Amino acid sequence: MDEPTKYLLPESEIPTHWVNLQADLGPPPHPPLHPGTKEPLGPEDLAPLFPMGLIEQEVSADPEIEIPDEVREIYKLWRPTPLYRAHRLERALDTPAHVYYKYEGVSPAGSHKPNTAVAQAYFNKREGVKKLATETGAGQWGSALALACRLFDMECEVFMVGVSYDQKPYRRAMMETWGATVHRSPSDLTDSGKAQAEHSTGSLGIAISEAVEVAAKADDTNYSLGSVLNHVCLHQTVIGQETLAQLEMAGEYPEVVVGCVGGGSNFAGLAYPLIRRRLREGLDTRFVAAEPSACPTLTRGAYRYDFGDTVGLTPLMPMYTLGHDFVPPPVHAGGLRYHGDAPSLSGLVKAGVVEARAIAQTAAFDAAVRFAQAEGILPAPEPAHALRAVFDEAEEAREAGEERVILVNLCGHGHFDMAAYDAYHAGELEDLEFSEADMDAALGRLPEAPAIA
């Protein structure tokens, strides 16, 4: 076979700017609201938690935002990342589809998360912040921020969701190796954690509450978030920009773009530059967001204003939500156990630009194992959900006899998730049930806020 397997770019092709899709979407019809006054959020409301450099990005209407040289220099440690043509997987699936995957697992932390962690640490360091507090689900984000803080000589304090803290001890060890302090959440170190002690498995919402509380109480500490917010999705767009250049090398363009979704950052990173092409050029590319059926925010949630955390310390954001105090079942894809989604992504789903699909845990791991057996790379549980959607698309292409081009973001490796693979091979992995009653109860406790059409 003389067709390339991987498409590589030189360091000189690392993007110089981040793509700001907000410029194409226009002013948000439903702006974030202050949690107390319920008035539209202003920059001064975010100043206790974020540096002004990130606040400006959060509200910017500029179509592109320049990446600082210091950030691009660190990006060279792993960027540009490879784009693979999955020839062996195509043969295993007996599909005429062409499957491409952008592999973000080559970063030091093993996922896409350092793309924004490094940027956030840089802007905080520039404004004199000494320490960053954050949450982490499966540990990818905590690992990335621990690395970024080490590179900029900052302290890092991480509240790790309890079930992932127990399931993935080596993620904790990785963070501690880079100098971070890691707590099991809910902890007894914060009022937020103490108030949620009954939920022993924890959730991203609870861990966010703890980290925000720590940051709000210390003048030298800011909060850092690994997904959901505009500036986080912005930083991830280096993925999609590189992919566009690599697809041009391959002489192809995707009919379908797939990514897994917890809060939305890795999906946005791959998809937003391509969504810009669709919006500006009228392309008919489909975009599929794959989420866990045990935490189906986009497919089963309500489009409402809600808090980004469990206790109610964050702004109210317009998004698909299961309710801020809904505690998802302890699926192994800890990075997808979030009650809401990025407002920008939620708006795109609402508008029909992005379609959402819920994937069961065992189906995701079945796809991950089959992918690993064909391509050699062991996927993290999170992108395993996206791979299941890719398999479905490839099978549909086979049945229709179409040479469909499918692109997916393989946003991280599964080397720290072997307990989950072990459970799968032993036949002990379960499809945890989503509780509609718990969601309805949580939605009944949503804060009073303007209705969203």
Side-chain angles (χ1 to χ4, degrees), residues 256-281:
V256 187
V257 177
V258 184
C260 64
V261 172
S265 69
N266 92 81
F267 179 88
L270 177 68
Y272 280 13
L274 283 84
I275 289 176
R276 168 169 284 180
R277 291 279 302 271
R278 169 172 162 168
L279 296 176
R280 292 186 175 184
E281 301 174 26

Side-chain angles (χ1 to χ4, degrees), residues 1-18:
M1 180 180 292
D2 57 4
E3 291 183 285
T5 294
K6 58 183 179 293
Y7 296 86
L8 304 175
L9 296 172
E11 289 177 0
S12 59
E13 293 299 309
I14 295 173
T16 59
H17 291 72
W18 292 303

Side-chain angles (χ1 to χ4, degrees), residues 22-188:
Q22 294 298 319
D24 298 83
L25 301 179
H30 310 290
L33 304 178
H34 189 282
T37 65
K38 307 297 193 296
E39 294 296 321
L41 209 64
E44 67 281 358
D45 298 317
L46 296 173
L49 297 178
F50 301 106
M52 190 52 63
L54 294 180
I55 293 172
E56 290 172 352
Q57 293 174 15
E58 186 68 20
V59 300
S60 175
D62 294 337
E64 294 183 337
I65 294 175
E66 186 174 5
I67 303 175
D69 289 340
E70 294 91 333
V71 173
R72 292 185 76 243
E73 187 63 29
I74 293 175
Y75 277 176
K76 290 179 182 178
L77 289 172
W78 70 95
R79 305 217 70 85
T81 60
L83 178 73
Y84 285 85
R85 168 78 183 274
H87 294 292
R88 290 169 177 79
L89 180 66
E90 293 168 13
R91 292 197 294 270
L93 296 177
D94 188 26
T95 178
H98 295 183
V99 178
Y100 292 86
Y101 58 96
K102 180 69 163 167
Y103 187 44
E104 291 292 298
V106 296
S107 79
S111 77
H112 66 293
K113 293 293 187 178
N115 298 329
T116 184
V118 167
Q120 291 188 49
Y122 166 80
F123 285 104
N124 276 283
K125 179 72 172 183
R126 192 179 69 174
E127 296 185 26
V129 176
K130 303 296 185 184
K131 174 181 171 181
L132 292 177
T134 196
E135 76 293 327
T136 193
Q140 286 98 330
W141 168 241
S143 300
L145 192 65
L147 169 65
C149 286
R150 173 53 50 200
L151 293 173
F152 285 102
D153 194 25
M154 301 172 70
E155 294 180 57
C156 182
E157 186 169 4
V158 182
F159 290 87
M160 188 172 185
V161 174
V163 65
S164 293
Y165 185 96
D166 299 336
Q167 290 174 342
K168 308 175 196 295
Y170 300 119
R171 279 285 180 191
R172 171 178 51 78
M174 187 184 221
M175 293 180 245
E176 292 172 343
T177 299
W178 282 320
T181 301
V182 187
H183 311 295
R184 189 186 190 282
S185 174
S187 74
D188 60 1

Side-chain angles (χ1 to χ4, degrees), residues 367-389:
V369 169
R370 292 169 65 190
F371 180 89
Q373 290 174 350
E375 293 293 313
I377 295 173
L378 199 71
E382 289 80 9
H385 291 70
L387 290 173
R388 178 66 259 179

Side-chain angles (χ1 to χ4, degrees), residues 295-310:
C295 187
T297 52
L298 293 172
T299 52
R300 302 282 291 279
Y303 190 48
R304 303 272 292 278
Y305 270 111
D306 198 6
F307 295 113
D309 70 310
T310 296

Side-chain angles (χ1 to χ4, degrees), residues 293-296 326-331 430-436 438:
S293 57
C295 187
F326 177 86
V327 178
V331 294
E430 299 177 329
D431 285 330
L432 300 177
E433 293 295 324
F434 165 69
S435 172
E436 188 128 15
D438 287 352

